[in-house]
Amino acid sequence: MEANDNHAEEHTVAEFIEFCVNGRTDKSGEWTSKGVGKYLEGGKEAGGMLVDQRFCPRIVEGELRYNCVGPELVGIIHKKPKEGGISAVGGTGSIYTFYGPDEPKFKNLTDNFLKKDINHVMPSLGLSDEPIPLWWTTDFILASPEGTPAEEEKWIVGEFNCSCVGIS
């Protein structure tokens, strides 16, 4: 399932690796993805990389986008993919629900993120000498099994963004 528009593709591991390294070639098979591959082009210096992130099946329930100004949470958006999809990118039929920063439903995640985790974000990214961005977002995906009590839930960061933060 392609995360940017919810279309499905099937490829062999060899085709996937070829696409990631060299882009669209005879060895990579036919891709309908908008992406061009070549994710390692230019090496680390040019930003070439792949992220090994576990799949969280509960992504179908949506993700939570935490909108922050500096270290302050200013709003939460629950972005739920359209039925049958995994991506809640705008324009894919996803449903957005808006909450204030003190939404009780997400108190455990909010408290953990703002009181325990936020000071570790920049150092974990190798940017310990840099300030938290002025305006940025963090997308969280619920990774706990269904039925897990809220106080024991585990959330996975799917994305940090400070270069293309949209207003919703």
Side-chain angles (χ1 to χ4, degrees), residues 8 20 23 31 40 47 49 54 64 70 91 96 103 112-113 122 128 151:
C20 291
W31 289 74
L40 303 175
M49 70 175 90
R54 83 181 206 195
L64 296 178
Y96 286 26
E103 175 58 43
N112 282 329
F113 183 57
M122 298 305 282
S128 56
E151 61 277 359

Side-chain angles (χ1 to χ4, degrees), residues 72-87:
E72 303 294 322
L73 177 63
V74 296
I76 301 169
I77 305 171
H78 178 230
K79 302 176 5 172
K80 185 175 186 330
K82 73 176 181 181
E83 191 66 34
I86 63 167
S87 176

Side-chain angles (χ1 to χ4, degrees), residues 15 43-45 95 110 139 144 150-151 156 159:
E15 288 173 333
K44 184 177 179 182
E45 299 76 28
I95 299 167
T110 301
D139 291 351
S144 301
E151 61 277 359
I156 303 294
E159 173 182 343

Side-chain angles (χ1 to χ4, degrees), residues 15 18-19 21-31 38:
E15 288 173 333
E18 176 70 14
F19 181 74
V21 174
N22 297 314
R24 297 175 191 273
T25 69
D26 290 339
K27 291 182 181 179
S28 69
E30 185 175 327
W31 289 74
K38 300 183 184 180

Side-chain angles (χ1 to χ4, degrees), residues 11-72:
H11 295 279
T12 66
V13 172
E15 288 173 333
F16 174 73
I17 291 171
E18 176 70 14
F19 181 74
C20 291
V21 174
N22 297 314
R24 297 175 191 273
T25 69
D26 290 339
K27 291 182 181 179
S28 69
E30 185 175 327
W31 289 74
T32 58
S33 172
K34 295 175 186 176
V36 297
K38 300 183 184 180
Y39 301 122
L40 303 175
E41 190 171 62
K44 184 177 179 182
E45 299 76 28
M49 70 175 90
L50 292 175
V51 175
D52 181 12
Q53 179 178 344
R54 83 181 206 195
F55 179 71
C56 298
R58 292 186 71 184
I59 187 65
V60 298
E61 298 170 30
E63 60 188 337
L64 296 178
R65 170 160 289 169
Y66 275 41
N67 287 301
C68 297
V69 174
E72 303 294 322

